[in-house]
Amino acid sequence: MDICILGAGPGGATAALHLANAGQPCLLLDRATFPRDKTCGDALSGKVINELRRIDASLPAQLAASAVQVPCWGISFFAPNGRPVEVPFRAHYNPTAEPAPGHVAKRLDFDNLLIEQVRQRPEIDFREGIEVVRHERLPDGRWQLLAADGTVVATPRLLLIANGAQSAQARQIGGHVLEPRHHSAGLRTYYEGVTGMHPHGFIELHFLKEFLPGYLWIFPLPNGQANVGVGMRTDKVSAKKINLRARLDEILTTHPSFRHRFAQARRLGPVRGMGLPLGSKRRSLSGAGYLLLGDAGSLIDPFTGEGISHAMVSGRHAADWAARAVQAQNFSADFLKAYDAAVYNRLWQELRLSRAMQRLLAYPWLFNFVANRAVRNPTLAQTLTNMFLDLDLREQLRRPGFYLKMMIGK
């Protein structure tokens, strides 16, 4: 088979499903057996819903009707001074009369929703429980993928590398290395019984002055559960010598904003760590015979930490260019560079702006200033809402005139 996809998470599964929709066969491999857990924040933005719709128009409704998700109508940002700013995803929303623009669902369940679609497609040869531990480039340009016992798993012409942030192939083939300034360390755990959750499923991002430039999140889940975690850029963790696990426990048990909310809460399972290769630097996503997708391509949003929608966007474009490569029988680096252009044409402006917003974490006074003004100024609050829906409005954060308008209250 010409195309092999390593990794059946959102990026790999999306690529496989788009290839199937185009009538192009592919091999999809994953070392796990589904359903399987994945350490993540579990939030599904409106961009995820749009990508689901591109795969199959019925998928957003299937997700919304499922008991594994809770509808999410916005974000509550908490400034360093504790001031909350509520940013609904849709202005003047009505939870009883319209579909939610976002959801929160455990990756165990969301990824399996995509895999159930994969299982229904005869064009996709999906093999679970298979780990590729070694690869070789054959004289004819094919990849030889080998299991731990030396068994040849596949010999594809084109390799779509979608096996996550710790991908050996992203390092060995794509040349991606961990750069602490463009990488984030994170922890995630689950709780039940957390009080004070928003009635409309808003996710919470807390920028605590004691924890900058990191942040703490609380995302609601079904059955009274919540995804709780912290994230901070890896170079800052090292420079400040921060023990993230100890700080998470300390914040939840002693901080005035959380100790009462977690007083009767119960932790469910262990605290798990994750590494997030951030899209704050433009990297090569392709080469002779391969494409990098999602976390393996370092495409995570540097401000919010979101990676699912970017993985799905890259999966869609990878399927497009993989199919074109097969049709042209051209798997050269020059031909496949068009994949990089397609992905960055869609994502780079957003990643660049998120990088700028990430830098604002060094100025807590600015967060406090924006939060104070937004609470008292409905026009500003509406502008902030629109910023998270419209990229052009997010550009205003970079313009001095925007802050002048805030100061004069217009």
Side-chain angles (χ1 to χ4, degrees), residues 212-281:
L212 291 177
Y215 64 93
L216 180 145
W217 69 77
I218 304 175
F219 296 171
L221 284 164
N223 306 312
Q225 296 183 13
N227 181 313
V228 180
V230 290
M232 184 180 289
R233 221 171 67 190
T234 300
D235 61 327
K236 300 299 184 182
V237 174
S238 298
K240 295 173 178 287
K241 296 181 171 58
I242 294 174
N243 182 322
L244 288 180
R245 291 175 187 267
R247 287 304 305 275
L248 175 61
D249 286 338
E250 178 189 357
I251 290 169
L252 297 183
T253 56
T254 67
H255 194 282
S257 297
F258 304 104
R259 64 187 183 208
H260 299 299
R261 296 182 63 186
F262 283 81
Q264 303 301 319
R266 184 170 71 92
R267 183 176 288 172
L268 305 172
V271 178
R272 299 194 183 278
M274 53 186 166
L276 307 174
L278 304 175
S280 47
K281 174 183 176 180

Side-chain angles (χ1 to χ4, degrees), residues 347-365:
L347 295 179
W348 182 242
Q349 186 186 19
E350 185 167 345
L351 291 170
R352 180 176 59 85
L353 292 174
S354 289
R355 171 65 166 158
M357 294 169 72
Q358 181 197 57
R359 290 192 182 106
L360 293 181
L361 296 178
Y363 305 99
W365 63 268

Side-chain angles (χ1 to χ4, degrees), residues 185-196:
L187 297 178
R188 178 224 72 185
T189 189
Y190 291 118
Y191 276 87
E192 65 177 5
V194 180
T195 60

Side-chain angles (χ1 to χ4, degrees), residues 91-114:
H92 312 298
Y93 66 93
N94 184 347
T96 62
E98 55 187 312
H103 303 269
V104 187
K106 291 181 179 179
R107 287 289 299 276
L108 178 80
D109 298 311
F110 177 72
D111 289 16
N112 199 53
L113 179 145
L114 289 174

